[in-house]
Amino acid sequence: MHLRGVVLPGDEVRDLWIDDGQLTFEPVDGAETLVTEGFLVPGLVDAHCHPAIGVHGPSTVDEAIAQAMQDRDAGTLLIRDCGQPIDTRALQDRADLPRMIRCGRHLALPKRYIPGLGIDLGSPDELPDAVAEQAADGDGWVKLVGDWIDRSTGDLAPLWPDDALAEAVKVAHAAGVRVTAHVFGEDALPGLINAGIDCLEHGTGLSPELLAEMARRGTALVPTLINIENFPGIAEKATKYPVYAAHMRALHAGVRDMIASALSAGVAIYAGSDAGGMIAHGRLVDEIEALWRAGMSRTEALAAGSWSAREWLGHPSLTEGAPADLLVFDSDPREDLSVLRDPRHILLGGAVFR
Ligand SMILES: [Zn+2]
C-alpha cells in the first residue's frame, strides 16, 4: 500500500509504503495507493485504559475484546492498560485490536480499592514480592494503588509505608520494569515520588513543589482529566464520609491549577482516558481535548496522546520499519483537535479498519 501526506509530527509531505504490515519510505513495487493527500498521524495512545473493565466491573474476555475495538475505532492503537482484573493475553494475540502493554493486576490492600479489580495483599510488607511477581507477569509496567479512602478515618490515606514503596520500586527497576500508582490525595505523594516511581495516575493532590521534584526526576503524570470530572459525583454519594467528600470536591476544584503548575514545571504529561468503570471506552479524544483546555497547546496535547506517548512507552511512530499503525485525516488535527473524531482511515499493522 502507498500513502502520501504530511507525516506528523513533521510538516513535510512524504510518501510512505506499507510492506508486510511495516512502514517504509522506500517505494514498494505494485503498491496500491490509499491516499494522495492528508495528514498521517501515529496511532493514538491511551496511556491509562482498562479494556477488561466495563461499567459493571471486571469484564469477560469477549467483553474486553468489544471494549478494545471501541477504543480502536476511536483511533487508539496502543494501550497501557494500567491494571486489569483478568488475563488479557488473548487480546494481544489478535491483530485487529490495539497493541497493549499489560500492567498485570492492581496491587492494593483489603477494602482499599474497588472490589474485585486488584490483588489485596495480606500486609504492606508483601508489596515488594507482589511487585516482583507482577513485574514478571506484565509487559514492563506495574500498577499500585497509592491511596484510597480509609473508612476507619473517613478520608483518603496512603496504602503503603515509605520503606515498602522504596523497596518495591527498587525490585521493579532491577527487573527492568516501571511502576505507576493511582493517587488522588496529597499524603501518599512524597512516599511515591521519593521511592523513584516512574509515573503517577490522576495526581490531583500534587503541589507545585512536588511537581518540580517530578520534573527533576523525570516522573511522568497521566492526569485522566475526564475521569476527575467524576469527583463531585463520587463526593455526592459518599454521604457517610463528609471529610472524604469535601476532600474530593477540593481536589476536583484544584485540578486546573495543578495542571498549570505541572506544565510550568515541565512535567511530562500523557493522555489517559481511564476507560473502564466510570468512563466509557473510545473517549481518548475527549481527554486530548481536555489537556488542551487545561493549558497544553493543541500540538502538545496531540503529542501526549500520540508520538510523545509512543516514545515514552518504547513504541515507534512513523519511522522506517515501524508497524503501520496510523490514522489519516483530511485536515491537520494540530489546527483543530476535533478533526481527530473523524479519521478518514485507521490502519493497524497495515490493515485498514476504516
Ligand atoms: Zn484506572
Side-chain angles (χ1 to χ4, degrees):
M1 206 177 293
H2 161 248
L3 301 92
R4 177 180 296 151
V6 178
V7 177
L8 270 63
D11 292 306
E12 211 183 318
V13 175
R14 299 187 72 179
D15 290 284
L16 264 175
W17 285 265
I18 299 172
D19 191 12
D20 200 19
Q22 292 184 328
L23 297 174
T24 176
F25 292 93
E26 299 296 323
V28 172
D29 281 346
E32 194 185 313
T33 297
L34 183 69
V35 289
T36 53
E37 57 182 356
F39 294 80
L40 313 183
V41 176
L44 301 184
V45 181
D46 194 338
H48 186 143
C49 178
H50 311 276
I53 304 178
V55 282
H56 304 297
S59 308
T60 63
V61 168
D62 285 345
E63 288 165 346
I65 288 168
Q67 283 155 188
M69 280 184 180
Q70 229 175 314
D71 291 313
R72 179 202 70 196
D73 292 343
T76 294
L77 303 183
L78 174 64
I79 286 171
R80 185 184 60 144
D81 76 20
C82 258
Q84 299 265 48
I86 61 167
D87 188 339
T88 51
R89 283 179 179 84
L91 278 69
Q92 292 178 308
D93 294 339
R94 292 180 56 136
D96 60 342
L97 298 181
R99 293 176 207 281
M100 189 163 61
I101 298 163
R102 289 179 308 106
C103 296
R105 307 277 309 268
H106 299 76
L107 295 176
L109 289 169
K111 296 189 172 29
R112 299 301 304 282
Y113 194 51
I114 303 165
L117 293 191
I119 296 175
D120 293 340
L121 305 186
S123 97
D125 307 340
E126 294 174 17
L127 186 65
D129 285 349
V131 163
E133 210 171 297
Q134 293 308 310
D137 195 49
D139 300 328
W141 282 89
V142 171
K143 171 80 180 286
L144 313 180
V145 177
D147 71 356
W148 196 253
I149 186 172
D150 178 344
R151 290 173 175 82
S152 68
T153 60
D155 198 1
L156 288 168
L159 271 72
W160 318 104
D162 291 358
D163 55 346
L165 283 173
E167 186 58 25
V169 172
K170 210 166 100 185
V171 164
H173 287 176
V177 168
R178 291 186 271 182
V179 183
T180 190
H182 162 107
V183 59
F184 284 165
E186 298 83 355
D187 295 350
L189 290 165
L192 292 165
I193 294 166
N194 292 327
I197 200 158
D198 303 280
C199 181
L200 295 174
E201 310 300 311
H202 322 298
T204 37
L206 285 162
S207 64
E209 294 70 29
L210 287 172
L211 287 160
E213 180 62 12
M214 285 173 70
R216 193 185 71 77
R217 288 173 172 269
T219 317
L221 175 65
V222 178
T224 71
L225 294 175
I226 59 173
N227 199 15
I228 289 165
E229 287 310 308
N230 289 313
F231 280 20
I234 295 170
E236 196 148 321
K237 284 194 199 128
T239 46
K240 277 195 281 181
Y241 304 104
V243 174
Y244 168 74
H247 198 171
M248 292 297 282
R249 286 194 181 95
L251 291 170
H252 174 257
V255 69
R256 277 196 85 87
D257 288 348
M258 186 279 284
I259 295 291
S261 300
L263 290 172
S264 73
V267 173
I269 296 178
Y270 300 103
S273 70
D274 209 356
M278 302 184 89
I279 297 289
H281 284 272
R283 289 195 55 198
L284 180 67
V285 174
D286 291 342
E287 179 68 16
I288 292 172
E289 288 188 331
L291 289 170
W292 165 60
R293 282 195 299 272
M296 286 180 133
S297 70
R298 288 184 183 85
T299 302
E300 286 168 342
L302 177 55
S306 176
W307 55 89
S308 300
R310 288 181 163 275
E311 191 181 356
W312 175 57
L313 294 170
H315 281 248
S317 289
L318 304 182
T319 54
E320 182 72 31
D325 297 354
L326 68 142
L327 309 174
V328 182
F329 298 97
D330 291 330
S331 54
D332 192 341
R334 294 172 296 189
E335 310 273 313
D336 175 3
L337 291 171
S338 72
V339 164
L340 295 171
R341 296 185 186 282
D342 191 22
R344 194 196 309 174
H345 295 295
I346 298 174
L347 280 80
L348 175 59
V352 181
F353 286 94
R354 180 169 171 163

